[in-house]
Amino acid sequence: MTTQDKARALMMQHYHQIKNRQQSMLERVVEEIGLPKEIADYWQPIQGKISPSVRISCDRSHASMS
């Protein structure tokens, strides 16, 4: 696997982690509010890019666990 392939795989993995975190948060909120579960299936990135606000709120934290 070339360096470029490894970098692409890491970026795709990071993208999917952010997507999964956003979906989890949406599912929790929908359940708390009592809305139909279909609303939690919302995922609409623009041209495959995650919006900056979603990236900030759903990205990994810089805090570490001891």
Side-chain angles (χ1 to χ4, degrees):
M1 194 178 226
T2 67
T3 305
Q4 189 174 9
D5 292 338
K6 288 179 184 178
R8 181 172 175 79
L10 283 172
M11 289 297 294
M12 290 303 297
Q13 180 183 13
H14 190 218
Y15 175 87
H16 289 291
Q17 287 173 343
I18 291 174
K19 178 183 175 183
N20 289 341
R21 285 186 191 110
Q22 184 191 26
Q23 287 298 117
S24 295
M25 289 191 310
L26 282 171
E27 288 172 6
R28 287 185 203 129
V29 169
V30 164
E31 188 176 314
E32 284 180 19
I33 296 174
L35 294 173
K37 294 191 184 248
E38 296 82 34
I39 294 174
D41 293 334
Y42 173 77
W43 175 255
Q44 188 178 6
I46 298 172
Q47 295 181 349
K49 298 179 182 177
I50 298 172
S51 72
S53 61
V54 171
R55 184 174 294 279
I56 290 169
S57 64
C58 298
D59 202 359
R60 295 175 288 218
S61 170
H62 296 289
S64 63
M65 297 177 67
S66 57

